[in-house]
């Protein structure tokens, strides 16, 4: 899913890099960006471009607008996505004025499980929360979701992992984290919930990161990392997951990949880090800060061998899939794909109305080389990269 300008040996830059990316890319997008897609040698490769098939998704509710200011009061929070369904939360936004921030009484007003083969069909979960819900997975006869509420007196955010079947809500785990984005859920093999979370230890003045699984509504620990912080959403190719942590003592970024039994890959990143994701066979990482010194690294998930090839751009918001492609954007939110197996980067050619002006783009993988394309957090499309 997401990221920022990060120097590994700089603690302040590593913290909150999810937030900083949005600000950074907004500033950099003001610059002209007419570079062509690149191959492994950094040369232009227009023959590698893909014009994907697109089909629009109709969201199950309309956005509400303040008629006086023209600002939208709510938004679509994409909580889960696969080839069959999409879970979206109706989240109401804070209102920022010149003198204050007005917080809505209800932050999340309902979860919708949308059928992607027929988007007129959906299941509504009547959840009203004063916290933000943005991560969830389908489970058994309901949904497991992460819920956040602020805990100012503890200097962090209270969170809970909850299950709801449409009638009853059950808390499966809870804790306190530094920020609101550190607890995130995914599914392995389309059935086992896995989540990453932080738990602040006040007595030791430290933050521990846990990777846990849920079996029969009970949380079980896979691994715990003491004095670490979580920096990113949990990503998966369906059979293994990818986590991005920060080791506070060494001031180092660590990539972890594993399954329900444990961690199998632990990679320390000693270069400037931009974003990362996972495909069917590789962990893929965009590295480097200075022009001419950027690169893409791939780590094979089976034999752990690494491959690298140079780039002239930094890549952001990387999203992998269970196939061979990762999607990325450049500083101007122009979309590209990475084919790590063939050491190739190519442009994704979208319709002109999606490319004109400054339109924020995000991607969510739903199956092999198929993604949901999000335009400006308002318009959503199924995007198929398998047909050139």
């Amino acid at each position: 899913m997401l990221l920022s300008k990060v120097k590994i040996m700089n603690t302040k830059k590593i913290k909150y890099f999810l937030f900083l990316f949005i600000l950074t890319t907004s500033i950099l997008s003001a610059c002209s960006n007419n570079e062509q897609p690149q191959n492994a040698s950094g040369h232009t490769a227009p023959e590698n471009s893909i014009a994907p098939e697109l089909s629009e998704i109709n969201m199950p509710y309309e956005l509400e607008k303040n008629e006086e200011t023209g600002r939208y009061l709510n938004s679509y929070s994409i909580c889960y996505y696969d080839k069959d369904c999409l879970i979206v939360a109706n989240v109401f936004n804070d209102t920022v004025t010149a003198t204050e921030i007005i917080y809505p009484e209800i932050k999340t007003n309902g979860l919708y499980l949308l059928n992607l083969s027929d988007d007129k069909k959906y299941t509504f979960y009547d959840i009203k929360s004063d916290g933000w819900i943005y991560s969830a997975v389908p489970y058994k006869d309901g949904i497991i979701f992460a819920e956040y509420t602020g805990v100012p007196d503890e200097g962090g955010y209270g969170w809970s992992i909850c299950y709801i079947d449409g009638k009853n809500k059950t808390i499966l785990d809870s804790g306190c984290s530094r920020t609101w984005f550190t607890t995130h859920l995914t599914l392995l093999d389309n059935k086992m919930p896995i989540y990453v979370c932080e738990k602040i230890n006040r007595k030791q003045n430290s933050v521990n990161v846990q990777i846990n699984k849920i079996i029969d509504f009970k949380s079980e620990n896979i691994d715990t990392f003491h004095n670490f912080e979580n920096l990113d959403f949990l990503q998966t190719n369906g059979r293994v997951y990818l986590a991005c942590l920060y080791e506070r003592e060494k001031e180092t970024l660590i990539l972890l990949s594993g399954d329900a039994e444990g961690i199998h890959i632990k990679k320390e990143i000693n270069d400037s880090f931009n974003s990362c994701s996972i495909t069917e066979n590789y962990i893929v990482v965009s590295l480097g800060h200075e022009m001419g010194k950027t690169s893409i690294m791939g780590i094979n998930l089976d034999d752990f061998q690494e491959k690298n090839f140079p780039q002239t751009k930094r890549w952001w918001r990387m999203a992998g899939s269970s196939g061979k492609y990762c999607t990325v954007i450049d500083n101007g939110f122009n979309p590209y794909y990475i084919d790590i197996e063939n050491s190739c980067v190519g442009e994704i050619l979208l319709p002109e109305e999606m490319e004109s002006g400054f339109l924020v783009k995000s991607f969510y993988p739903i199956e092999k080389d198929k993604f949901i394309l999000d335009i400006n957090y308002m318009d959503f499309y199924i995007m198929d990269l398998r047909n050139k």
Side-chain angles (χ1 to χ4, degrees):
M1 320 171 187
L2 278 142
L3 298 163
S4 144
K5 292 182 174 181
V6 178
K7 276 282 188 180
I8 294 303
M9 299 307 292
N10 189 324
T11 307
K12 293 183 179 179
K13 286 186 180 179
I14 288 183
K15 292 182 179 179
Y16 316 119
F17 79 111
L18 288 172
F19 299 111
L20 293 179
F21 166 66
I22 298 174
L23 176 62
T24 301
T25 50
S26 298
I27 295 172
L28 292 174
S29 66
C31 302
S32 175
N33 208 318
N34 297 314
E35 298 174 63
Q36 295 295 319
Q38 306 151 3
N39 59 19
S41 301
H43 300 127
T44 59
E47 70 276 6
N48 291 326
S49 62
I50 296 178
E53 292 185 358
L54 297 171
S55 56
E56 189 171 4
I57 300 172
N58 294 308
M59 284 302 191
Y61 60 91
E62 298 290 335
L63 297 183
E64 302 176 26
K65 184 182 288 188
N66 184 313
E67 296 301 330
E68 293 183 1
T69 64
R71 296 176 180 174
Y72 286 98
L73 301 175
N74 61 333
S75 59
Y76 302 111
S77 176
I78 304 300
C79 301
Y80 175 79
Y81 33 87
D82 66 24
K83 64 183 181 64
D84 298 315
C85 70
L86 175 69
I87 299 177
V88 57
N90 186 7
V91 173
F92 281 76
N93 309 316
D94 302 333
T95 301
V96 181
T97 71
T99 58
E100 63 179 338
I101 299 177
I102 303 172
Y103 299 99
E105 183 176 346
I106 297 176
K107 187 73 172 178
T108 301
N109 190 10
L111 288 174
Y112 297 78
L113 192 153
L114 186 66
N115 187 329
L116 283 180
S117 62
D118 184 355
D119 55 22
K120 294 181 180 179
K121 296 180 180 179
Y122 62 85
T123 301
F124 175 67
Y125 292 86
D126 190 10
I127 301 170
K128 290 180 171 58
S129 172
D130 59 0
W132 188 9
I133 297 174
Y134 73 91
S135 182
V137 295
Y139 186 68
K140 304 289 186 182
D141 297 322
I143 287 176
I144 294 177
F145 62 92
E147 182 177 30
Y148 291 81
T149 55
V151 189
D153 58 327
E154 294 188 9
Y157 282 72
W159 59 264
S160 58
I161 297 290
C162 307
Y163 173 77
I164 188 168
D165 59 7
K167 297 180 181 179
N168 302 310
K169 174 182 172 182
T170 305
I171 296 178
L172 307 180
D173 194 8
S174 62
C176 188
S177 60
R178 298 169 301 114
T179 58
W180 50 261
F181 63 79
T182 57
T183 301
H184 193 260
L185 289 146
T186 191
L187 277 185
L188 289 186
D189 301 319
N190 293 319
K191 60 183 179 181
M192 180 177 288
I194 304 288
Y195 65 97
V196 60
C197 64
E198 285 185 357
K199 293 197 174 182
I200 294 176
N201 188 322
R202 297 297 176 189
K203 293 182 179 180
Q204 298 180 6
N205 190 29
S206 65
V207 180
N208 296 333
V209 174
Q210 292 184 354
I211 298 178
N212 299 332
K213 57 187 174 183
I214 295 174
I215 299 178
D216 293 330
F217 302 101
K218 294 183 179 180
S219 176
E220 298 184 10
N221 182 244
I222 297 173
D223 212 333
T224 298
F225 301 88
H226 301 285
N227 208 23
F228 275 70
E229 297 174 4
N230 181 38
L231 293 181
D232 202 353
F233 298 157
L234 201 60
Q235 301 189 62
T236 182
N237 63 6
R239 61 186 179 90
V240 297
Y241 50 80
L242 175 66
C244 182
L245 308 185
Y246 172 64
E247 188 171 6
R248 301 174 76 183
E249 184 176 345
K250 293 184 179 180
E251 297 186 341
T252 302
L253 188 144
I254 305 290
L255 298 181
L256 304 172
S257 180
D259 55 24
E261 302 306 315
I263 304 298
H264 305 307
I265 295 178
K266 185 176 181 180
K267 175 64 178 178
E268 182 176 307
I269 302 298
N270 294 307
D271 198 352
S272 296
F273 172 83
N274 304 317
S275 63
C276 66
S277 192
I278 191 168
T279 65
E280 181 181 19
N281 298 316
Y282 284 89
I283 295 171
V284 185
V285 190
S286 172
L287 298 171
H289 174 69
E290 298 180 18
M291 295 295 292
K293 295 183 180 180
T294 52
S295 65
I296 292 173
M297 176 179 67
I299 304 173
N300 191 290
L301 293 170
D302 295 320
D303 60 18
F304 312 142
Q305 295 297 308
E306 297 181 16
K307 63 186 303 184
N308 290 270
F309 58 97
Q311 294 290 282
T312 59
K313 286 189 176 186
R314 306 170 73 185
W315 302 113
W316 311 104
R317 292 195 174 194
M318 191 181 297
S321 74
S322 57
K324 65 178 181 178
Y325 292 142
C326 286
T327 56
V328 291
I329 57 168
D330 63 11
N331 290 337
F333 279 97
N334 301 301
Y336 293 80
Y337 72 88
I338 298 172
D339 180 352
I340 189 68
E341 294 183 357
N342 294 307
S343 301
C344 174
V345 176
E347 187 175 9
I348 298 175
L349 303 175
L350 297 178
E352 185 177 352
E353 61 269 20
M354 296 182 182
E355 297 289 7
S356 59
F358 177 65
L359 298 177
V360 178
K361 301 175 184 69
S362 304
F363 300 95
Y364 309 94
I366 56 176
E367 59 178 305
K368 277 194 172 184
D369 300 324
K370 289 182 72 174
F371 301 80
I372 291 174
L373 167 63
D374 170 2
I375 303 289
N376 267 5
Y377 310 109
M378 295 182 62
D379 300 307
F380 300 85
Y381 302 83
I382 295 177
M383 183 182 75
D384 193 344
L385 295 183
R386 296 174 298 183
N387 300 309
K388 290 196 175 186

